[in-house]
Amino acid sequence: MSTFTLDTATSRATPSPVPGKRMTVPGIKGRKKDGTTERPIVMLTAYTMRTAQLLDPHCDLLLVGDSLGQVIYGLPSTVPVTLEMMCAHGAAVVRGSWHALVAVDMPFGSYEASPEQAFASAARVMKETGCAAVKLEGGEAMAPTIRFLAERGIPVIAHVGLTPQAVNALGGYGARGRSEAEAAKILRDAQAVADAGAFAVVLEGVMEDLATEITGKVAIPTIGIGASAACDGQVLVTEDMLGLFERTPRFVKRYDDLATRIGEAVERYAGEVRDRSFPTADQTYRPKT
């Protein structure tokens, strides 16, 4: 099985042994009461065990996003990401966390053909990773699939607005909902996935006033990324907000500049190796005296 207990005596992986304390789907959904969320939902992406360990104490939700295709594998989009990739990284994130609810993205081509295909893929993801939910893109067209999954015990986070898996059809990554017709369609999408049984919906790259309107009209929590501060929660790609890439999307606030700091640390290491000042006696093994 992918979800096994690690030997903490020999592994760097030492998740806190606090069973039964994870956030739950009802807990996340229940944050929104009577149309408002007093305590916003904190969500970040995680693709590795160690990242999960560092993010887990501070987050309500960890998303194993198909953005790993670009962030981890250097792919041009999320389209080439496979179910095998999602399962491998999802299992690592579950092993590295104990508090946050872990959701795993359904990759392109793993759910669109039919509700039955979606169920088979989602069941595999949940079995192999130990995650608590899956996320899939699409609005009205995917509502029957969301209902099919929810009725069979698979919690679903929906995703509307800018849907990266449909980048070829959309013609790029620009903000959505600029025209009245497109805004009305996104609003219908959000209402449809909520009515179908999704317990939360990601609003990506939509105009601020539209995201605010949707948040006020749907009963489930909205999680914004390039949307509105009025959303019931927020999500970012962790590597973006930590400044690990030179390019920063408009909707990202950089909370650090780790790319520069890592570069400086490696530069110091390389210099010490070349001038033979590393390793020192503190990093080498010598006979005991």
Side-chain angles (χ1 to χ4, degrees):
M1 291 293 291
S2 299
T3 52
F4 52 81
T5 302
L6 294 162
D7 180 358
T8 56
T10 60
S11 173
R12 288 182 174 86
T14 54
S16 301
V18 186
K21 296 293 184 180
R22 277 195 191 271
M23 295 294 297
T24 64
V25 168
I28 295 294
K29 187 176 181 181
R31 286 281 187 91
K32 190 167 188 174
K33 298 176 180 177
D34 299 322
T36 60
T37 300
E38 185 174 329
R39 188 181 182 200
I41 297 162
V42 178
M43 185 177 185
L44 283 170
T45 61
Y47 316 119
T48 67
M49 175 277 301
R50 183 55 181 157
T51 301
Q53 287 179 320
L54 296 173
L55 303 182
D56 185 64
H58 311 288
C59 293
D60 303 304
L61 279 163
L62 292 177
L63 174 66
V64 187
D66 59 359
S67 49
L68 63 82
Q70 294 150 302
V71 175
I72 302 293
Y73 292 95
L75 296 170
S77 72
T78 62
V79 173
V81 172
T82 66
L83 206 56
E84 288 74 20
M85 289 179 184
M86 299 310 304
C87 288
H89 288 274
V93 169
V94 170
R95 289 196 294 269
S97 60
W98 63 268
H99 165 260
L101 185 150
V102 178
V104 176
D105 263 344
M106 300 281 284
F108 178 73
S110 69
Y111 62 93
E112 296 92 337
S114 67
E116 290 78 12
Q117 182 207 27
F119 180 83
S121 298
R124 176 183 172 186
V125 168
M126 296 188 77
K127 285 182 177 182
E128 293 189 18
T129 69
C131 72
V134 298
K135 181 172 78 64
L136 56 82
E137 297 182 8
E140 289 179 300
M142 296 311 302
T145 294
I146 292 171
R147 179 172 289 106
F148 190 89
L149 296 179
E151 289 175 348
R152 287 158 179 79
I154 296 181
V156 178
I157 299 174
H159 184 151
V160 304
L162 171 59
T163 48
Q165 292 177 9
V167 63
N168 292 312
L170 294 175
Y173 293 98
R176 320 309 299 181
R178 294 183 183 275
S179 70
E180 288 186 12
E182 188 175 54
K185 173 65 168 64
I186 294 171
L187 176 57
R188 291 197 305 272
D189 284 340
Q191 291 172 324
V193 297
D195 292 343
F199 73 92
V201 57
V202 170
L203 306 180
E204 179 170 1
V206 300
M207 302 302 288
E208 182 181 24
D209 57 347
L210 174 60
T212 300
E213 180 184 4
I214 291 171
T215 299
K217 287 186 174 180
V218 299
I220 61 175
T222 60
I223 300 174
I225 176 168
S228 168
C231 289
D232 301 298
Q234 301 292 330
V235 62
L236 286 174
V237 171
T238 297
E239 285 75 4
D240 286 341
M241 58 87 71
L242 292 178
L244 278 168
F245 292 101
E246 287 72 21
R247 177 185 173 276
T248 303
R250 173 191 166 98
F251 55 80
V252 173
K253 178 177 178 179
R254 291 178 65 158
Y255 288 82
D256 209 322
D257 183 13
L258 290 192
T260 297
R261 295 211 281 152
I262 290 170
E264 291 171 348
V266 175
E267 183 180 23
R268 292 197 303 272
Y269 164 73
E272 291 185 9
V273 169
R274 289 171 180 139
D275 67 19
R276 297 190 183 278
S277 61
F278 172 84
T280 69
D282 290 337
Q283 291 92 38
T284 54
Y285 299 97
R286 300 181 178 188
K288 294 181 179 180
T289 58

